């Protein structure tokens, strides 16, 4: 570059002295220009620091952190520098970070790490001080807090610890410490140990169950070899005739029974009918039937209701009770629905789903006024069951008026919020996970006006998922044009009309699939606005005659909409033009909703609630709820979710097989 500058100067300068000056200036400036070009921008330095963290280059991390001081993301440098530290050095660095960058998302993470460290070395006064400032839920922090209260002889800590003890997963160190303290003080006893073993076996965590068995007293010790057989070869274990004289032997039989029921509920039920009395006590006998009913209900077997009824007098977990309700709904056993919902924990029972079904059960039992009160309690909820409850009260779905429009000053104020500045910068740099965490932390505690302003900011920055999720949180003031965005209308609505699809339903599905992020990619490989799997996209492309299609086109907006709506049309036509079945098919494949039907017509809400896949069950309910709101927005007229939920046609012997993926 220097040589080039000199040659230009010599060719264009008629006066030798002037040329000499120009050449000298070029020679002097070129190193400075080169140096400036070599210096990274603050965002380049940030990305280099992030990469240095990943490979443990602490010196480079420190150097790069200096180079983005004063930037919106400045705090990430000091935060990353705390991560490899241990012991006193870590505590000192974390405390320094909190002094400099308090009241931020990263400060919350640092404070939780610091609080856990303090608890582990029993610096309880310092732990209490930090714990009081933590707003996020964290299982291990909760356990340390309960341990502290237990040490202070707070009896309520034991009651609150029991649900944590029965969490169906491996417990973090703080929860293990709490559990061992409660066991040592006989506040957890052998009965509680067996309950946790059962929960872990149900969750498919045999190693955790074996470790939990170490807490049993010697006279109830679990034979590890027999446990392995009971868990891994349950039919073999049960058929070889293990006696049940001890608690441990009976529990092994019950473990094997539950494992057998997971594979073949009918065979397990036949075995339990023959062998489920003596030497088992009544609680153990009913627990055996509960396991069989639970596994049968997850397979949508019609016998599940009867088997659950054999376990109607023992306390069951919320998980079992929810499946008891689903089995009872399919059997139209409203008495069992009533019993199961009433037995749920208060927190679970308050969910609109169980409030709605409890109200339905009460009405079926002739308690119309009690039912009406419960319908009223959730009818204003903008959810699937809120809409159904409103329908039971003859109230259609209407779009609430826009409660607040942010002014220019409101927008400038919200845009200046440091958390949003960090989030927007991280989104721009492609760090979506970190950006979303910053955004979610920043909107906590905001009032409705601030939330609407934040949602507007997200829409202005082409972040439809943040706009929707933020607007969804308003309580009294709403803007449903933000909650239910409808981008790409010039592509989506004509295509829906061409295929004879309800555009409100198409938008309801897209909202649930991708939140309108055109580049979205799921963990299983689904891509684009309508989240198409590679094999499905290829199949549909061939089916609709899309020539020269290759998977690189799947994120192209027009291609994705064409393939997604075409697939939706195919499954809709195959599944009796029923949007509930087609929605389930779009998420789980068309073969499954065919099998999930009953031999008789079924209420669509019952079908949706009893879908055996958690993701698909939630998905179908939200798609149908979304579609109702979109229809109200598009038409400007009141709508009814119930009108979209025609009865599900029964399974028939002449149902044709399909090659649709």
């Amino acid at each position: 570059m220097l040589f080039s500058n000199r040659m230009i100067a010599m060719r264009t300068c008629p006066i030798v002295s002037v040329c000499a000056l120009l050449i000298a200036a070029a020679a002097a400036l070129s190193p400075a220009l080169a140096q400036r070009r070599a210096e990274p921008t603050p965002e380049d330095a940030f990305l280099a620091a992030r990469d240095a963290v990943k490979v443990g280059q602490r010196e480079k991390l420190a150097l790069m952190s200096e180079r983005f001081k004063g930037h919106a993301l400045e705090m990430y440098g000091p935060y990353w520098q705390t991560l490899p530290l241990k012991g006193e050095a870590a505590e000192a660095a974390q405390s320094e970070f909190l002094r400099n960058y308090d009241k931020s998302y990263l400060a919350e993470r640092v404070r939780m790490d610091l609080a856990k460290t303090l608890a582990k070395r029993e610096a309880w006064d310092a732990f209490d001080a930090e714990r009081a400032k933590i707003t996020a839920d964290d299982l291990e922090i909760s356990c340390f807090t309960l341990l502290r209260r237990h040490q202070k002889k707070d009896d309520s800590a034991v009651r609150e610890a029991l649900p944590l003890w029965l969490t169906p997963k491996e417990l973090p160190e703080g929860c293990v410490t709490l559990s061992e303290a409660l066991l040592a003080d006989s506040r957890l006893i052998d009965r509680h140990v067996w309950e946790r073993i059962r929960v872990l076996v149900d969750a498919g965590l045999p190693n955790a169950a074996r470790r939990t068995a170490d807490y049993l007293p010697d006279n109830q010790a679990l034979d590890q070899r027999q446990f392995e057989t009971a868990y891994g070869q349950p039919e073999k274990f049960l058929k070889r005739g293990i006696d049940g004289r001890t608690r441990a032997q009976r529990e092994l039989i019950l473990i094997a029974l539950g494992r057998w029921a997971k594979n073949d509920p009918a065979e397990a039920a036949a075995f339990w009918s023959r062998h489920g009395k003596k030497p088992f006590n009544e609680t153990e006998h009913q627990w055996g039937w509960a396991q069989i009913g639970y596994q049968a209900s997850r397979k949508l077997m019609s016998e599940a209701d009867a088997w659950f009824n054999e376990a109607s007098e023992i306390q069951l977990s919320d998980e079992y009770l929810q499946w008891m309700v689903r089995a009872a709904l399919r059997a139209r056993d409203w008495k069992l629905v009533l019993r199961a919902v009433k037995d749920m924990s208060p927190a679970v029972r308050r969910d609109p789903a169980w409030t709605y079904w409890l109200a339905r059960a009460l009405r079926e039992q002739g308690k119309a006024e009690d039912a009406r009160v419960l319908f009223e309690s959730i009818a204003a909820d903008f959810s699937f069951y809120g809409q159904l409850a409103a329908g039971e009260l003859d109230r259609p779905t209407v779009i609430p008026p826009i409660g607040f429009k942010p002014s220019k000053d409101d927008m400038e104020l919200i845009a200046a919020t440091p958390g949003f500045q960090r989030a927007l910068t991280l989104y721009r740099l492609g760090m979506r996970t970190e950006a979303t965490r910053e955004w979610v932390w920043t909107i906590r505690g905001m009032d409705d006006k601030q939330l609407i302003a934040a949602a507007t900011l997200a829409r202005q920055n082409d972040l439809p998922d943040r706009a929707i999720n933020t607007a969804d949180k308003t309580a009294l003031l709403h803007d449903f044009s933000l909650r239910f965005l409808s981008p790409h209308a010039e592509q989506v609505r004509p295509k829906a009309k061409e295929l004879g699809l309800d555009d409100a339903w198409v938008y309801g599905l897209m909202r649930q699939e991708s939140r309108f992020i055109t580049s979205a990619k799921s963990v299983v490989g689904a891509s684009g606005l309508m989240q198409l799997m590679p094999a499905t996209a290829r199949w549909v492309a061939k089916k609709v005659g899309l020539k020269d299609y290759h998977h690189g086109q799947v994120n192209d907006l027009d291609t994705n909409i064409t393939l997604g709506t075409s697939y939706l049309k195919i499954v809709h036509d195959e599944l009796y033009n029923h949007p509930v079945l087609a929605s389930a098919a779009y998420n789980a494949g068309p073969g499954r909703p065919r099998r999930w039907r009953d031999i008789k017509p079924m209420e669509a809400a019952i079908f949706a609630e009893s879908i055996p896949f958690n993701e698909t069950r939630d998905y179908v309910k939200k798609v149908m709820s979304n579609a109702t709101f979109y229809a109200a927005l598009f038409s400007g007229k009141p709508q009814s979710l119930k009108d979209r939920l025609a009865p599900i046609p029964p399974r028939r012997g002449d149902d044709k097989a399909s090659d649709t993926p």
Side-chain angles (χ1 to χ4, degrees):
M1 186 67 182
L2 178 58
F3 176 76
S4 175
N5 287 340
R6 284 175 175 166
M7 293 301 292
I8 291 169
M10 289 173 69
R11 286 199 303 269
T12 57
C13 291
I15 302 173
V16 174
S17 60
V18 173
C19 289
L21 286 171
L22 286 170
I23 292 168
L29 285 171
S30 292
L33 287 169
Q35 182 179 358
R36 281 202 295 275
R37 289 192 188 99
E39 288 178 357
T41 66
E43 290 182 4
D44 289 337
F46 170 81
L47 293 173
R50 178 201 62 182
D51 294 341
V53 174
K54 294 178 180 177
V55 296
Q57 295 177 335
R58 295 175 66 176
E59 291 183 4
K60 183 178 179 181
L61 169 59
L63 175 64
M64 290 296 108
S65 297
E66 285 294 317
R67 292 183 177 175
F68 63 93
K69 275 191 172 180
H71 188 266
L73 301 177
E74 173 188 323
M75 68 174 64
Y76 277 80
Y79 169 71
W80 285 330
Q81 291 177 69
T82 68
L83 298 181
L85 302 177
K86 304 293 180 186
E88 293 182 3
E91 289 185 38
Q94 289 164 344
S95 298
E96 178 68 16
F97 183 91
L98 293 173
R99 281 192 290 273
N100 293 329
Y101 303 106
D102 204 4
K103 301 187 187 333
S104 66
Y105 162 67
L106 289 181
E108 183 91 339
R109 291 182 64 172
V110 167
R111 180 164 280 118
M112 286 196 288
D113 289 341
L114 177 58
K116 291 174 187 178
T117 300
L118 293 168
K120 287 171 186 177
R121 67 178 182 84
E122 300 185 354
W124 291 115
D125 290 342
F127 168 82
D128 289 342
E130 298 301 337
R131 174 68 184 90
K133 301 173 188 176
I134 293 171
T135 59
D137 291 329
D138 181 89
L139 178 59
E140 189 167 24
I141 294 287
S142 297
C143 285
F144 278 129
T145 303
L146 291 171
L147 176 61
R148 176 73 162 142
R149 286 169 51 193
H150 174 64
Q151 291 173 342
K152 293 180 175 180
K153 310 301 182 184
D154 180 351
D155 286 341
S156 65
V158 179
R159 291 193 299 274
E160 293 176 38
L162 281 172
L164 303 184
W165 168 251
L166 295 177
T167 302
K169 62 181 182 181
E170 297 270 13
L171 295 177
E173 182 181 344
C175 296
V176 172
T177 303
L178 168 65
S179 303
E180 291 179 347
L182 295 175
L183 286 160
D185 291 344
S186 298
R187 305 309 299 270
L188 287 178
I189 57 176
D190 56 332
R191 172 173 60 84
H192 300 119
V193 176
W194 284 116
E195 286 176 3
R196 176 158 175 78
I197 291 170
R198 290 176 176 182
V199 165
L200 293 170
V201 167
D202 266 350
L205 296 169
N207 292 334
R210 276 192 289 264
R211 286 191 292 274
T212 301
D214 291 340
Y215 296 127
L216 290 167
D218 291 343
N219 64 348
Q220 295 185 42
L222 201 62
D223 184 301
Q224 296 294 340
R225 184 172 296 177
Q226 288 190 5
F227 174 84
E228 289 177 11
T229 306
Y231 185 88
Q233 299 174 283
E235 187 175 357
K236 175 183 175 182
F237 180 88
L238 291 172
K239 287 184 176 179
R240 72 186 189 188
I242 301 295
D243 70 57
R245 285 175 293 179
T246 68
R247 174 72 185 269
Q249 289 170 334
R250 295 195 301 277
E251 289 290 344
L252 282 170
I253 293 170
L254 288 163
I255 287 169
L257 181 71
R259 295 292 294 171
W260 194 4
K262 186 173 184 179
N263 297 323
D264 192 337
E267 284 295 314
F271 173 88
W272 200 236
S273 294
R274 295 192 302 270
H275 304 290
K277 290 293 186 180
K278 289 186 177 182
F280 301 95
N281 61 39
E282 185 58 26
T283 299
E284 292 166 342
H285 174 72
Q286 291 197 31
W287 171 243
W289 283 117
Q291 291 185 97
I292 295 167
Y294 173 68
Q295 298 297 348
S297 65
R298 294 175 66 85
K299 295 180 183 295
L300 305 184
M301 293 175 64
S302 59
E303 300 92 338
D305 176 72
W307 293 334
F308 262 135
N309 266 296
E310 294 289 337
S312 61
E313 297 176 6
I314 61 171
Q315 181 60 51
L316 297 171
S317 68
D318 286 325
E319 170 74 3
Y320 272 57
L321 291 168
Q322 289 173 76
W323 279 102
M324 182 183 283
V325 172
R326 293 172 185 133
L329 287 172
R330 290 178 72 96
R332 309 293 285 182
D333 182 351
W334 294 106
K335 183 178 179 181
L336 189 62
V337 170
L338 191 66
R339 178 254 157 161
V341 176
K342 285 188 171 182
D343 279 359
M344 291 175 184
S345 65
V348 172
R349 192 167 60 242
R350 284 193 295 270
D351 185 283
W354 311 124
T355 301
Y356 175 81
W357 292 119
L358 177 59
R360 289 281 303 275
L362 287 168
R363 191 173 66 189
E364 292 291 333
Q365 299 291 311
K367 299 180 179 179
E369 182 57 27
D370 291 343
R372 189 192 66 79
V373 170
L374 288 176
F375 287 138
E376 286 280 5
S377 72
I378 60 170
D381 194 65
F382 300 126
S383 68
F384 181 81
Y385 283 112
Q387 289 171 290
L388 285 182
E392 298 290 344
L393 299 168
D394 296 321
R395 296 175 194 166
T397 295
V398 295
I399 301 301
I402 294 176
F404 175 68
K405 277 287 187 184
S407 66
K408 181 181 177 182
D409 288 346
D410 294 324
M411 292 308 302
E412 288 177 353
L413 185 63
I414 210 77
T417 305
F420 290 137
Q421 292 182 341
R422 288 192 294 273
L424 293 174
T425 304
L426 289 164
Y427 279 122
R428 190 174 66 249
L429 294 175
M431 297 175 65
R432 176 166 284 276
T433 299
E434 295 83 353
T436 299
R437 288 170 178 166
E438 286 277 7
W439 189 282
V440 170
W441 193 91
T442 302
I443 65 175
R444 288 188 306 172
M446 284 189 166
D447 62 28
D448 287 350
K449 291 181 178 181
Q450 292 170 313
L451 288 169
I452 291 173
T456 304
L457 179 68
R459 182 174 60 184
Q460 291 172 350
N461 284 274
D462 195 25
L463 297 169
D465 60 322
R466 290 302 98 212
I468 291 168
N469 289 19
T470 303
D472 261 347
K473 296 184 181 300
T474 57
L476 298 174
L477 303 175
H478 308 294
D479 184 345
F480 268 49
S481 68
L482 292 168
R483 280 197 186 208
F484 293 92
L485 296 176
S486 52
H488 318 302
E490 62 278 10
Q491 289 100 340
V492 175
R493 299 186 77 173
K495 193 66 183 177
K497 184 176 181 181
E498 175 191 329
L499 294 171
L501 295 174
D502 173 19
D503 58 355
W505 177 47
V506 174
Y507 266 106
L509 184 138
M510 286 193 296
R511 183 183 190 267
Q512 195 58 29
E513 283 288 345
S514 66
R515 288 291 197 263
F516 305 110
I517 302 172
T518 56
S519 60
K521 188 163 185 176
S522 76
V523 293
V524 295
S527 298
L529 191 70
M530 298 195 72
Q531 288 291 280
L532 294 160
M533 292 294 289
T536 303
R538 286 194 300 272
W539 184 88
V540 178
K542 184 176 180 180
K543 193 85 171 175
V544 302
L546 191 62
K547 295 182 179 179
D548 302 320
Y549 172 76
H550 58 86
H551 191 61
Q553 297 172 268
V554 74
N555 280 342
D556 172 76
L557 184 63
D558 287 331
T559 302
N560 195 276
I561 291 170
T562 295
L563 295 177
T565 53
S566 296
Y567 181 73
L568 191 57
K569 171 66 172 174
I570 291 168
V571 296
H572 183 255
D573 289 352
E574 284 188 2
L575 292 166
Y576 313 99
N577 299 317
H578 203 299
V580 170
L581 291 172
S583 298
Y586 199 93
N587 182 262
R592 290 190 175 99
R594 282 191 177 91
R595 296 192 298 272
W596 294 339
R597 293 175 296 156
D598 203 348
I599 58 173
K600 56 185 181 297
M602 185 191 310
E603 187 179 327
I606 291 176
F607 174 88
E609 182 54 56
S610 60
I611 289 172
F613 293 175
N614 294 346
E615 177 192 319
T616 306
R617 182 169 61 252
D618 183 63
Y619 175 91
V620 168
K621 290 189 283 190
K622 286 182 176 175
V623 166
M624 299 310 300
S625 175
N626 292 346
T628 309
F629 282 117
Y630 275 115
L633 278 167
F634 292 165
S635 68
K637 298 176 182 178
Q639 298 290 314
S640 167
L641 173 59
K642 192 173 182 179
D643 288 347
R644 294 176 174 270
L645 301 180
I648 301 293
R651 291 197 310 269
R652 295 199 302 259
D654 60 351
D655 280 341
K656 295 180 181 179
S658 170
D659 66 345
T660 305

